[in-house]
Amino acid sequence: MEPLHCIVIDDEPIGQDVVVSFIEKIPYLQLGATFGDPMEAFMYLQQHEVDIIFSDIQMPKMNGLELVRSLEKPPVIIFITAHRDFALEGYETGVMDYLVKPVRFDRFVKAVNRTKEYIDMRKQPAIQQVSADRVFIKADGKLIKILLGEILYVEAQGDYLKIVIANETFTTLGTLKSMDEVLTLPKFFRVQRSFILNLEMVRSVTGNMVELVNGKTITIALNKKDELFQLLGIK
């Protein structure tokens, strides 16, 4: 099992010692360093890859919330603090969990196990084809099964893909190029740079627009129109 690298940030030595003792009891956690000064932790994070930060919030010079906001791509954060008032603001920064001192070991383990599940899932491919007719995608923090025949269309949106089926829409990391390998002719067709559509879901074609059964209209690229018509059997 590949270890998860972590650091501890707490200006109180006793707080550090408790978290370190908990980490040492969990085989898949590997402690990289401890810090009493968040600024020193910030400098460390510029040079080292870390999976999890265990951090106090109320500290001098820079508090834990400010540290997280200062990181361009923060690791998973678990706040450990005596100040309950920061809980809501802590969750709004996207932290994984918020533990209130004194922390019980069983509560610590629960937070860490949840974090491990999240990191393991994040490392998996965003789109996994498991058979000829279905894929699993990572969306909303879980793996979701998508039957290819139910897809109306897939739209590229920057680094993400919007996958639309009859009654639901899912967003996942990915490119249309990766979907080209899954959604193949003759059933699926890339009608323009940003869209792949299910030809069985086409209701009508008007000029350079195609309408799907859900009412969605998509522009046809000029260099794709003849091929689309041929696939639809239109003369």
Side-chain angles (χ1 to χ4, degrees), residues 131-149:
S131 66
D133 67 341
R134 68 196 63 195
V135 296
F136 276 86
I137 67 167
K138 288 196 296 187
D140 300 325
K142 53 190 173 183
L143 290 168
I144 300 172
K145 181 178 71 177
I146 303 287
L147 298 178
L148 301 186

Side-chain angles (χ1 to χ4, degrees), residues 5-7 9 41 45 50-57 59 63-80 89-99 108 111-112 114-116 118-119 122:
H5 300 276
C6 57
I7 64 172
I9 310 170
L45 290 165
V50 172
D51 297 301
I52 308 172
I53 296 176
F54 297 98
S55 178
D56 193 4
I57 293 184
M59 294 179 287
N63 68 39
L65 293 167
E66 292 169 340
L67 173 63
V68 173
R69 294 190 184 109
S70 71
L71 298 173
E72 185 176 350
K73 293 183 179 180
V76 177
I77 311 296
I78 296 178
F79 280 135
I80 302 176
E89 190 176 358
Y91 281 124
E92 288 175 349
T93 64
V95 301
M96 178 60 62
D97 211 335
Y98 183 99
L99 307 181
F108 182 86
V112 170
R114 179 166 168 253
T115 300
K116 183 180 182 301
Y118 170 78
I119 292 174
R122 192 173 61 180

Side-chain angles (χ1 to χ4, degrees), residues 2-226:
E2 185 177 347
L4 297 178
H5 300 276
C6 57
I7 64 172
V8 177
I9 310 170
D10 195 328
D11 62 315
E12 298 179 352
I14 294 176
Q16 279 192 28
D17 291 345
V18 170
V19 178
V20 169
S21 69
F22 287 173
I23 290 172
E24 290 174 344
K25 295 177 182 179
I26 301 177
Y28 60 80
L29 291 183
Q30 181 173 316
L31 180 63
T34 61
F35 301 94
D37 184 341
M39 289 302 300
E40 292 180 3
F42 176 83
M43 298 304 297
Y44 179 91
L45 290 165
Q46 306 309 303
Q47 304 294 329
H48 299 83
E49 290 189 7
V50 172
D51 297 301
I52 308 172
I53 296 176
F54 297 98
S55 178
D56 193 4
I57 293 184
Q58 191 63 36
M59 294 179 287
K61 297 182 182 178
M62 172 187 286
N63 68 39
L65 293 167
E66 292 169 340
L67 173 63
V68 173
R69 294 190 184 109
S70 71
L71 298 173
E72 185 176 350
K73 293 183 179 180
V76 177
I77 311 296
I78 296 178
F79 280 135
I80 302 176
T81 179
H83 299 273
R84 294 176 180 272
D85 295 343
F86 287 108
L88 178 59
E89 190 176 358
Y91 281 124
E92 288 175 349
T93 64
V95 301
M96 178 60 62
D97 211 335
Y98 183 99
L99 307 181
V100 178
K101 297 177 181 179
V103 181
R104 301 191 319 270
F105 180 64
D106 62 326
R107 179 67 179 88
F108 182 86
V109 170
K110 182 178 180 181
V112 170
N113 284 340
R114 179 166 168 253
T115 300
K116 183 180 182 301
E117 290 176 1
Y118 170 78
I119 292 174
D120 287 346
M121 188 182 73
R122 192 173 61 180
K123 290 179 178 179
Q124 296 171 345
I127 302 168
Q128 301 180 54
Q129 185 166 13
V130 295
S131 66
D133 67 341
R134 68 196 63 195
V135 296
F136 276 86
I137 67 167
K138 288 196 296 187
D140 300 325
K142 53 190 173 183
L143 290 168
I144 300 172
K145 181 178 71 177
I146 303 287
L147 298 178
L148 301 186
E150 295 181 349
I151 294 175
L152 278 74
Y153 66 91
V154 179
E155 179 183 359
Q157 296 184 330
D159 294 329
Y160 292 85
L161 292 174
K162 182 170 77 172
I163 300 173
V164 179
I165 62 177
N167 300 312
E168 295 180 273
T169 299
F170 303 100
T171 301
T172 188
L173 279 169
T175 63
L176 275 192
K177 183 178 180 180
S178 67
M179 290 302 292
D180 278 334
E181 301 171 1
V182 176
L183 305 178
T184 58
L185 292 171
K187 187 169 184 178
F188 291 92
F189 181 67
R190 189 165 177 171
V191 71
Q192 51 136 298
R193 184 168 57 90
S194 299
F195 286 88
I196 298 174
L197 57 83
N198 185 342
L199 297 178
E200 294 183 1
M201 299 296 180
V202 173
R203 171 179 288 163
S204 64
V205 179
T206 305
N208 289 326
M209 300 292 293
V210 60
E211 180 187 9
L212 302 181
V213 294
N214 68 339
K216 172 71 175 180
T217 57
I218 301 170
T219 303
I220 307 166
L222 293 177
N223 63 341
K224 297 284 189 177
K225 187 172 181 179
D226 290 345

